[in-house]
Each structure stands twice: as structure tokens, then as C-alpha cells.
Amino acid sequence: MSTATQPNIDAFRTETRAWLEEHCPESMRTPVKGFDDYFWGGRQPKFKDEDQKLWFENMKSKGWTVPRWPKEYGGGGLSKAEYKVLKEEMESLGCRTPLFSFGIHMLGPALLNFGTEEQKKEHLTQIANGEIWWCQGYSEPGAGSDLAGLQTSAEDKGDHYLVNGQKVWTSYADYADKIFCLVRTDKNAPKHTGISFLLIDMKAEGVTTRPIKLLSGSSPFCETFFDNVKVPKENLVGTENEGWTIAKYLLTHERSMIGNVAKMDKTLDKYAVDAIGKVNGKLADPVNRVETAKWLIDEAAFNLTLERALDEAKAGSPPGAKSSFFKYYGTELNKRRYELMMSTGGFDNLIWGENAEEGKTPREFCRTKANSIEGGTSEVQLNIIAKHILGLPKS
Amino acid sequence: MALVLTEEQQMLKTSAKEFFNGNAPIASLRDLRDKKSEAGYDQLVWSEMANMGWTGLVFPEAYGGLDFGYAGLGQILIESGKTLTPSPLMSSVIVSGTMINAYGSEEQKKTLLAAIAAGEKIVTLAYEESNAHRPHTAEASVSNNQLSGTKKIVLDGHVADTFLVTARTEKGLGIYVIDAAASGVSVERHTMMDSRNAATVTFSDVPVLAMIGLPGDGEKIMDHVLDVARICLSAEMLGSMEEAFERTMNYLKERKQFGVSIGSFQGLQHRAAHMFCEIEMCKSLVLKSLQAIDAESDELATLASMTKAKVGEIAKLVSNEGIQMFGGIGMTDDEEIGFFLKRARVAQLTYGDYNYHIDRYAALKSF
């Protein structure tokens, strides 16, 4: 940011703060507790209450459901500096995200980079306005870590593709209106080069879906089946058989999201002290005291490393395979945090209860086990680091 | 402050790298060891370092320094860590120089600090008495202006011109200036496992020349000075682990077994990739902590303990894995990877080890 724009930025900050103060209902300034507290959009939008709806409508009118996207696609058209101000001001008031969707965080960036003008106009606008709930169709029962080994096929039938196969770990597919999918369009090509990126309507004939119950007791994921589903040709994103490029781009994006270690309302030392108390000024359990200290140091080092990577990027150094490194370290760190919480939390954390609020920590603990599996396992990230950063030879 | 080097710091790092590679590679450490060098370090290299201004880099211009800051000095330490170059930079410049600069009288700065900054005198701190790091404890004491006591593991003690010695007083810890040539000083030189030198120094009714600060100031002074030393030593350790890691990666690519490079084995790749991540964590902590010294941050103690603990832990990991990945050849004295293992252990125990700093960090955070 050049100093010449500083007065403009200051003015934008003042305006933004005033606007948020006026347009964000009080109840939308409280922490989000679960799935229900987010508005996800969709053909049949479900608002939890009037405040949630009002907040969404207000933000939509400014294009601030997707502040950085161009205005012609329903975005706010904000510069990087303005976006930073908006985020800071929303954070300081505690404003919730008005619209949460995989459309915003995953499909959107792919379309902005690889979509045609028609696709951008249609789909980005619908995402920005919360009109379509998108889900992701990447993994298959036989293609997890070996994602490029996917078998769901899309056969060229002239004016349409005929899709057959099965996807798994499709997030909220049971609520979603549409799915962005990786499909095989060339069975004879080497596995990375016969893949295409396709958009499919979940209401199309032949699409069925079934939720999967997880260790944590919740079912955020589904299995989704395609049985002779006809998909119009214009739903292909990018070039046929070059979908792997888009997939890689999105995975990098996804990894950097998963790799961020979320801030908690209580630091780990406070959590431990509240749970087991102190003796002579030291945490009552000496082993947990050491492990907690070690974890806090690693957390601080991780956050400093994220900060350093941003500063290096600003100074012109390329990010490279860093997303793998942050994904690996960040998710392992998060798992360690919950292991420690289960340990210091004691018997209270054994109570599963009847709902997510009651058995919060044990359920979240179970959920963290997915951190190092989803978006590419820790082992896959280590493979990428070894190959692309350290230059070690292929096995 | 951005977590990147300034252009000047980067330039200093580059010239330090060239200097140490050209003048003090590991082969010269081996040479010092094998020839049982009198000084224990290369005096020509040391005087070159002084000529380039590195011995005065962080001190005010009034005392012959360059006022360049610890983040810059840290880059020299990182590079000297890569070649494992022994020198009195840590004992004389970083510990004693920092102490006199921050707490010494004007007279002490004009004489002692100026001599340290010029590389003319070696001044070292004598404070450990037990078999573990206890910087606030001293049995040594002063009566009738004469100091008596025994100090262990005094870095570069056998070549020191002046000792700064901790002793107990009625008000707490005091720090005393003692001439190494005074009668009643006896110095027993020990060679450590990394081929560097530390002495056991016995003081028997040795006349005290002066004090740094007042009786009872010692704890506060030691905390601050040792925190600076912990961060600077961590920088040196970071350089060593970066170099050991790079050598190990090169070996994994060169060494063939079963007809392929051993670096193609996933069992080694994952451990290598994990080490890479941990070293990146260390880099961030070291840079942040070096900047915190220059910024006179309130968080210095916390950062110093975090950094020394983490860097100590990873230095151990990387040096152990280095030996294991080099295999049999790594166990030989001819192969240099073992030098990194030995240095890592000495550095780990200097100014508080992993256990000490994990405990101190928790205490500073009140848990």
C-alpha cells in the first residue's frame, strides 16, 4: 500500500465502521456456535432468524458477501487494502460472516481463473447472491490420496456428457443444489491428463446422495452417486482433459484454509489451569505442564512462520510448495491441541451427551482426526515437500 | 516489523558466509583440535572479524562500535554456525559486551567495552557453579573487597583477560570485575566435546577491581544479558542445523543402495520433510527474537526461552537424524557430520537447555 492512498484508506475505514455499526444486528455480532449459525445460501435459503436474513441482505447489497470479487459478478470490487480494512473492522465488532459457502472459497477462485465469461456471469453472481449451494466432488472410494486415480467417467455424447460413477466425502451434498466435480474424460490417457472439471446439477436425473455418519456423531459429508446423468457441454470448466490443473489449484487453496490453526476463546494453558488447577504456582500435572508449554511454543512458531511467509511474499519471494508445509504442520498442531485438551480436561471430557453443545470437546476431538486426512493426508503433504522443496528423487 | 532481513542485513549475511567459508571451514576446526591450539580458536580469523567491525557491531559508535543491531549480528552467528567456527564472539562480545554496554559505568564502557569492541581484550562471564544451569545462584562471595569461589564451564576462560564474576551479597547477586592476571586466580582449561574451550576458574581472595551495577542487581542483569545470549546462541545453532540438514539432503541424493538413491525411500523422505518444517519454525523464532532485542521488547524473556527451547530440541533432532541418515560413514571422524552432533550438545546445555527453558517459559506464563 503506497502512502499516497492512506487518506483514502482512512476514510474508507471510518465509513465502513459506521456502516457496519448501523447495518449489523446485535445478534450477528456474537460468536458462531455451529452449522446452524451460518447462512449457507441455496435455492431454498434457510435463515435461522430475521437478524441473519437482514445481515445477509445488507451485506449482499454492498457486494460484501464476496468483497474482493469484481462488481460485475456481484462482488464488492474492493482492493486488497480495502478488504483488509473491512476484515479488521468486522473482526473488531465481532461481525459474523454473512454467507458461508464452498462456492465462495473453492469454486469461485477456480471460475475466476479458468471460467468463461458466461460461466463467471452466471455462477459467480449466483454464489455472491447466495442463490446456489455448491458442494465438491473430488474423492472416490478408490481415489483418496491417489486422487488422480479417479474413475467417475464423463462420456462425450455430442451435445452432452454422460456421467457415471461415485463420489465420497461430498460436504453437505444432501443440502447442495449443485456439485463441482472431477471426472475422467479420457480413459486411455495417463491418469493426470484425462481428467476434466465439470459442474453438475444435484437435481438432474440419476444423481442420488446419502449422508455418512462420522466418529463425532455428525454427518457433514455424503456419498454421491451418478447413474447415467446427462450434463450439458457448457458445464465444462477450462479445457477438456486439463482438469487436473484446476484441481491442483483448488487443493492448494483448500490446504491453506485447513492449515490455519483456529484461535480459541481460551488459550491452552488457561484451559489446563481451569481444568486441573495449580500447585505451588505450577500446573498440577507436571507432564501436561511440559506438553502444554511445548505446544504453545510450537503454535507461536507456526503463526510467526505464516507471518514470515506473508512478509517474504510481499518482498517478492515465491510461495512454492509452502501450502503443503503449512497444511501438514498446522493440522498436526491442531490434533495435538485436542489430545492435550482431552488429557487436561479429565473425566468431564468423557461425557458425550445428547448434542454437540454438551459433548463439545470429545466431539471436536474426534473431528480433528480428519484434519490430517482431508485435503491431502499428512503423508501426501510430506511426499510433496520431499519432492518439490527438498528435491529428493521419486520413489 | 516485517519478518524479513533488510537489504543491509542481507549484505552482511552474504559477506559473513563468504568470510567463514573462505577462512574458517570445518577443516580448520579439525586442525585446531588436532594441533591442540593454544588459544582454541584461530587468532587470525578473530582479528579479521575485529577488523571488519563485527566485534563492535552492536555497540554505540562512542565506544568504537557500529550500532548496527543484533538482528545483523545474528546473521554473522548463523553463518559462523554453518562452519562451526569457534571464536570469543559469544563469550566476550555478546555476553560481556552486552552486559557492560547495558549496565556498566561510563568508565567501564570507555575502557572495557571499547577493548571488547576492538577485539583487543577477551572478557568472559564466570557464573556457573553447579552441574546445571543456575544463573541466580552463587556460593562465591566477597569480603574485604576480595572474591573467593569456584566457577565452572567458563567459556574461553583460559584466554580471558578479564572475568565478570557473580557472587552472593546480602542484597542478592552481585557482579564483580576481576583481572585474570591477579594473584589468587587459577585457571584449569578443559576441552569440550565440540573442541571448544571452557575452564574451571578458582578465585582465592582475589582483589575486586569494580562492580557491574550494585549488589542485588545481579539477577536482573543476568536475566537480560543471558536472554540476549540465548537468542544469539540460538541463531548460531540455527545456522548449524541448516548446514547439517543441507549436507544430509545432499547425501540422500548421492548415496546409492539397492541400485537407487536412498533419498527415494519414503521412510527417509518423510523424516526429511518433517525436519524441513521444524527448521522453518526455528528460523521464524530466531528472527523474531533477534528483532525483539533491537526493539527492546517486553517479551524478550518469553521469546528467549521459547527460542532456546525449540531450537535446542530441533538441533538435537537434526544432528541425530544426520548421523542416522549418513549411516556408518556418519560414525567416522573423517566425515564432518559428526562435528554438528557434538556442537549441538554443547550449545544445547549452554545458557539453559530445553528442560530449563520449557520450565521457565511456563513460569513466565504463570502456569
Side-chain angles (χ1 to χ4, degrees):
Chain A
M1 186 185 8
S2 71
T3 44
T5 65
Q6 196 56 46
N8 294 336
I9 283 295
D10 291 343
F12 179 75
R13 187 181 294 278
T14 315
E15 269 167 46
T16 302
R17 188 176 305 163
W19 188 89
L20 290 172
E21 285 280 11
E22 193 185 335
H23 292 89
C24 184
E26 280 301 325
S27 72
M28 290 297 110
R29 301 182 195 187
T30 57
V32 170
K33 288 214 179 77
F35 176 78
D36 277 5
D37 283 345
Y38 287 114
F39 173 56
W40 289 75
R43 283 175 180 144
Q44 276 99 42
K46 230 180 80 189
F47 292 101
K48 195 178 182 186
D49 51 38
E50 276 306 305
D51 277 358
Q52 194 185 51
K53 185 173 180 192
L54 181 66
W55 174 227
F56 166 71
E57 294 291 347
N58 285 341
M59 286 293 272
K60 189 176 87 172
S61 71
K62 299 279 276 185
W64 285 357
T65 55
V66 281
R68 284 281 279 146
W69 291 9
K71 281 188 172 166
E72 66 252 50
Y73 309 134
L78 297 191
S79 69
K80 218 172 178 175
E82 288 168 333
Y83 177 53
K84 190 166 165 264
V85 167
L86 175 62
K87 271 207 305 198
E88 284 165 1
E89 292 305 317
M90 283 178 71
E91 213 167 279
S92 88
L93 284 181
C95 303
R96 290 181 182 178
T97 302
L99 173 66
F100 188 88
S101 86
F102 303 117
I104 293 177
H105 296 291
M106 306 185 75
L107 179 60
L111 286 175
L112 281 166
N113 272 282
F114 302 97
T116 62
E117 193 49 40
E118 288 74 30
Q119 287 171 335
K120 287 186 199 173
K121 277 231 168 70
E122 181 186 349
H123 299 299
L124 292 179
T125 313
Q126 288 174 347
I127 292 169
N129 293 337
E131 291 163 356
I132 293 291
W133 183 324
W134 284 93
C135 66
Q136 182 197 45
Y138 272 25
S139 300
E140 296 179 4
S145 286
D146 181 17
L147 182 61
L150 57 95
Q151 294 300 325
T152 295
S153 66
E155 209 183 320
D156 192 338
K157 293 285 183 186
D159 65 332
H160 68 272
Y161 291 107
L162 194 65
V163 177
N164 278 290
Q166 180 190 350
K167 291 290 174 184
V168 72
W169 309 123
T170 45
S171 312
Y172 300 115
D174 46 346
Y175 297 96
D177 303 309
K178 293 184 179 180
I179 183 167
F180 51 97
C181 259
L182 291 178
V183 292
R184 184 155 302 284
T185 35
D186 186 345
K187 284 187 176 168
N188 301 317
K191 65 180 179 180
H192 291 91
T193 51
I195 293 170
S196 300
F197 194 94
L198 211 53
L199 309 178
I200 303 175
D201 198 310
M202 294 292 284
K203 299 290 172 296
E205 206 180 316
V207 182
T208 50
T209 192
R210 193 169 69 196
I212 304 168
K213 189 174 174 183
L214 298 183
L215 295 178
S216 61
S218 70
S219 305
F221 298 108
C222 296
E223 294 176 288
T224 301
F225 303 88
F226 302 93
D227 183 17
N228 287 322
V229 180
K230 284 184 182 173
V231 180
K233 276 274 179 78
E234 65 259 30
N235 286 13
L236 173 75
V237 179
T239 312
E240 194 177 80
N241 294 329
E242 287 177 17
W244 188 245
T245 314
I246 307 177
K248 273 199 299 190
Y249 172 80
L250 275 186
L251 281 172
T252 308
H253 216 75
E254 186 186 5
R255 275 169 201 156
S256 47
M257 275 164 54
I258 298 172
N260 279 327
V261 178
K263 275 202 191 112
M264 309 271 281
D265 39 0
K266 234 188 228 184
T267 56
L268 197 60
D269 51 322
K270 180 93 173 51
Y271 185 91
V273 168
D274 287 353
I276 50 184
K278 294 198 255 190
V279 175
N280 298 327
K282 293 182 177 185
L283 191 66
D285 175 341
V287 178
N288 265 320
R289 181 171 180 263
V290 169
E291 290 301 312
T292 301
K294 186 166 152 38
W295 189 88
L296 288 168
I297 292 171
D298 284 347
E299 183 203 30
F302 180 73
N303 287 329
L304 284 172
T305 306
L306 281 172
E307 195 184 320
R308 183 164 64 86
L310 284 176
D311 289 341
E312 282 171 359
K314 271 186 222 155
S317 139
K322 278 190 186 137
S323 70
S324 285
F325 145 56
F326 287 121
K327 204 276 178 184
Y328 164 67
Y329 208 89
T331 55
E332 294 296 333
L333 204 52
N334 202 41
K335 286 200 301 181
R336 266 171 61 201
R337 160 159 65 193
Y338 274 89
E339 286 294 349
L340 279 167
M341 284 166 69
M342 287 304 290
S343 174
T344 53
F347 298 142
D348 288 347
N349 277 348
L350 300 182
I351 307 303
W352 193 253
E354 294 304 314
N355 55 54
E357 197 54 36
E358 257 184 282
K360 192 166 178 285
T361 306
R363 286 165 194 258
E364 285 175 354
F365 160 77
C366 289
R367 176 64 183 84
T368 61
K369 295 302 170 195
N371 295 163
S372 51
I373 302 170
E374 61 203 348
T377 61
S378 281
E379 289 74 13
V380 166
Q381 307 313 322
L382 291 172
N383 287 345
I384 295 173
I385 295 165
K387 200 167 125 198
H388 295 289
I389 299 182
L390 302 178
L392 292 173
K394 265 191 168 171
S395 32
Chain B
M1 173 150 225
L3 282 174
V4 284
L5 297 183
T6 64
E7 212 170 300
E8 291 81 12
Q9 288 162 355
Q10 187 59 55
M11 278 166 62
L12 180 61
K13 185 180 170 73
T14 308
S15 50
K17 188 182 184 68
E18 280 170 16
F19 175 77
F20 289 115
N21 279 336
N23 299 282
I26 295 179
S28 47
L29 172 63
R30 182 191 294 279
D31 206 43
L32 290 166
R33 179 194 71 176
D34 293 348
K35 291 188 175 144
K36 300 198 173 21
S37 149
E38 269 309 304
Y41 60 92
D42 186 333
Q43 282 160 312
L44 214 60
V45 166
W46 179 238
S47 62
E48 274 300 305
M49 287 165 72
N51 285 343
M52 289 186 286
W54 295 354
T55 45
L57 198 74
V58 291
F59 304 126
E61 290 173 18
Y63 312 112
L66 295 172
D67 221 352
F68 191 80
Y70 285 86
L73 182 59
Q75 306 316 308
I76 295 176
L77 287 159
I78 289 172
E79 295 307 322
S80 77
K82 291 180 182 170
T83 48
L84 299 173
T85 304
S87 85
L89 198 56
M90 191 61 69
S91 61
S92 189
V93 171
I94 290 161
V95 175
S96 302
T98 298
M99 186 182 285
I100 297 163
N101 187 35
Y103 302 99
S105 64
E106 188 54 35
E107 175 60 24
Q108 287 164 344
K109 291 186 200 178
K110 275 187 184 149
T111 54
L112 272 183
L113 182 59
I116 291 169
E120 287 161 3
K121 262 193 174 189
I122 293 173
V123 181
T124 189
L125 177 68
Y127 69 102
E128 301 284 20
E129 293 186 0
S130 69
N131 204 21
H133 184 57
R134 289 200 187 101
H136 291 170
T137 315
E139 283 300 316
S141 62
V142 175
S143 69
N144 297 328
N145 229 24
Q146 292 181 326
L147 188 143
S148 293
T150 300
K151 298 292 179 179
K152 293 179 76 158
I153 212 89
V154 181
L155 299 182
D156 301 315
H158 71 298
V159 286
D161 300 293
T162 303
F163 292 108
L164 305 176
V165 189
T166 56
R168 70 188 150 85
T169 73
E170 279 172 8
K171 291 180 176 162
L173 209 63
I175 300 171
Y176 297 84
V177 182
I178 283 184
D179 184 354
S183 69
V185 177
S186 98
V187 178
E188 189 190 350
R189 175 184 177 176
H190 306 291
T191 304
M192 293 188 286
M193 71 184 290
D194 62 351
S195 309
R196 297 195 190 195
N197 289 278
T200 301
V201 185
T202 307
F203 302 93
S204 311
D205 299 323
V206 183
V208 163
L209 295 177
M211 279 192 86
I212 308 284
L214 297 169
D217 286 350
E219 286 87 350
K220 185 189 75 186
I221 296 176
M222 289 293 283
D223 278 345
H224 174 223
V225 170
L226 287 177
D227 280 336
V228 171
R230 286 156 182 153
I231 292 166
C232 288
L233 180 57
S234 297
E236 190 204 307
M237 293 165 82
L238 171 65
S240 299
M241 72 167 84
E242 283 186 84
E243 177 68 19
F245 182 67
E246 198 186 321
R247 286 169 178 238
T248 307
M249 290 308 102
N250 289 338
Y251 188 73
L252 292 189
K253 290 170 199 170
E254 281 163 20
R255 170 74 173 166
K256 289 202 165 59
Q257 285 290 275
F258 308 104
V260 293
S261 302
I262 60 171
S264 65
F265 300 141
Q266 207 177 37
L268 298 181
Q269 286 189 348
H270 284 189
R271 281 151 61 193
H274 175 74
M275 278 192 276
F276 167 81
C277 297
E278 294 289 18
I279 295 170
E280 288 297 308
M281 301 297 141
C282 293
K283 283 186 194 170
S284 311
L285 280 170
V286 166
L287 184 54
K288 178 77 180 177
S289 295
L290 286 168
Q291 290 179 349
I293 304 175
D294 291 327
E296 293 173 18
S297 162
D298 298 339
E299 296 286 300
L300 194 68
T302 314
L303 279 168
S305 279
M306 288 165 76
T307 304
K308 186 66 171 50
K310 180 73 185 173
V311 170
E313 182 199 11
I314 304 308
K316 196 165 137 185
L317 172 76
V318 173
S319 57
N320 283 343
E321 288 284 61
I323 298 287
Q324 178 66 21
M325 291 184 183
F326 267 84
I329 197 80
M331 291 303 298
T332 65
D333 184 62
D334 272 349
E335 170 49 55
E336 291 176 343
I337 196 73
F339 284 66
F340 290 91
L341 178 84
K342 291 172 175 174
R343 175 63 190 146
R345 291 313 181 280
V346 174
Q348 150 78 354
L349 277 168
T350 305
Y351 312 134
D353 66 357
Y354 171 79
N355 299 15
Y356 179 90
H357 285 292
I358 286 286
D359 178 70
R360 182 170 181 253
Y361 169 80
L364 286 165
K365 288 281 203 180
S366 311
F367 73 92

